[in-house]
Amino acid sequence: MIDFGQLRGRTIAITGASKGIGKATAVFLDQLGANLVLGARNENGLKSVASQMHSNPLVMSLDVTDESSVRRFAGQAISTYGKVDVLINCAGIGVFQPTLTMDTDDFDRMVSVNLRGTFLCCKHFGQHMVQNHGGRIINLVSIAGTTALSGCGGYSASKFGVLGLTRVLQMELRGKGVQVTAVLPGAVHTPLWDLVEPKPDTSQMIPVESLAKHIVYLLCQPEGAVIDEITIMPPLGIL
């Protein structure tokens, strides 16, 4: 039986928390009594999320591509709560176009946000966790990080990179008390699809609230084993 009570009072930082997976995960963790540190570029979106919560989360503007912004985010979280127990990297963007006609700026943005952003957050929160001899990092990857999908050249390149980074971090931090987990979902019903044409059938995708619960379940696993990587799929497959 899952003991959600162990999350009460734990400090959890979430990037990309203004919408999608980050928002849904934050809402669920708020119900479980966690201390939340929420970051995203969309400050109004963050304030809207915070207004729906029972607690009083620490809300900060965050650009994961900017190391000084990430450093401030981590520093404020640590100074406010003393330590951060968990980092959940949800910030990400996707532009889906044939690789040969994709705008180079779009490619660069996906690599910068998805890969560089994950690296910077892992770096600054990971240093703190190593000093405290304990912590959890969950990186949202994607099934596109292991599977070649047409129209996902830039997105897959960035997500394959995130998975490689996560696996190296697992090796480097395992003996230092820090557990790093890669979450690879298939298609999730999030605002990521709003700008995609033609519109996909979102009714068959993973509900974002369902994925958020899977993420939280990972934080409540019994001791004695760790989950390095988990793939979570819609009932009918990738989509």
Side-chain angles (χ1 to χ4, degrees):
M1 186 172 182
I2 297 176
D3 176 19
F4 290 122
Q6 63 186 282
L7 297 177
R8 183 169 297 278
R10 295 180 71 189
T11 300
I12 301 175
I14 305 175
T15 71
S18 64
K19 59 184 178 181
I21 297 168
K23 174 183 176 180
T25 304
V27 169
F28 189 30
L29 285 167
D30 172 68
Q31 297 169 2
L32 300 174
N35 299 322
L36 296 177
V37 183
L38 308 181
R41 286 180 297 180
N42 185 345
E43 293 186 66
N44 289 332
L46 281 176
K47 292 175 182 177
S48 175
V49 173
S51 70
Q52 303 171 36
M53 295 186 169
H54 302 292
S55 63
N56 184 29
L58 175 62
V59 173
M60 293 183 62
S61 174
L62 171 65
D63 179 354
V64 296
T65 70
D66 180 350
E67 187 161 15
S68 63
S69 179
V70 174
R71 188 181 293 110
R72 285 193 300 271
F73 181 65
Q76 188 62 51
I78 295 164
S79 65
T80 300
Y81 292 108
K83 72 168 183 173
V84 175
D85 301 293
V86 179
L87 167 67
I88 305 176
N89 281 310
C90 294
I93 60 172
V95 178
F96 306 106
Q97 297 289 339
T99 305
L100 299 186
T101 56
M102 177 181 297
D103 189 288
T104 302
D105 288 341
D106 287 336
F107 181 93
D108 290 344
R109 282 196 308 125
M110 283 186 279
V111 172
S112 184
V113 174
N114 300 347
L115 180 52
R116 174 184 167 87
T118 300
F119 159 71
L120 289 175
C121 292
C122 287
K123 174 183 176 180
H124 288 283
F125 281 93
Q127 290 172 352
H128 164 72
M129 291 175 182
V130 167
Q131 290 175 353
N132 282 331
H133 307 289
R136 296 285 305 275
I137 297 174
I138 293 181
N139 290 335
L140 265 293
V141 188
S142 168
I143 197 64
T146 61
T147 305
L149 302 171
S150 180
C152 290
Y155 188 70
S156 282
S158 67
K159 291 297 189 176
F160 266 80
V162 173
L163 183 58
L165 172 68
T166 302
R167 289 175 175 173
V168 172
L169 285 169
Q170 289 165 354
M171 294 183 65
E172 293 179 344
L173 302 183
R174 195 185 303 278
K176 299 178 181 179
V178 181
Q179 181 182 345
V180 187
T181 300
V183 175
L184 290 81
V188 183
H189 187 187
T190 71
L192 180 72
W193 302 103
D194 290 348
L195 300 178
V196 175
E197 294 293 346
K199 293 295 183 185
D201 182 3
T202 57
S203 68
Q204 298 300 321
M205 294 181 180
I206 302 170
V208 69
E209 294 81 8
S210 177
L211 183 61
K213 290 179 180 179
H214 278 289
I215 293 170
V216 173
Y217 293 163
L218 289 173
L219 301 178
C220 301
Q221 298 302 307
E223 295 183 1
V226 298
I227 297 176
D228 282 347
E229 193 170 303
I230 183 170
T231 301
I232 303 169
M233 298 293 282
L236 299 182
I238 294 174
L239 294 183

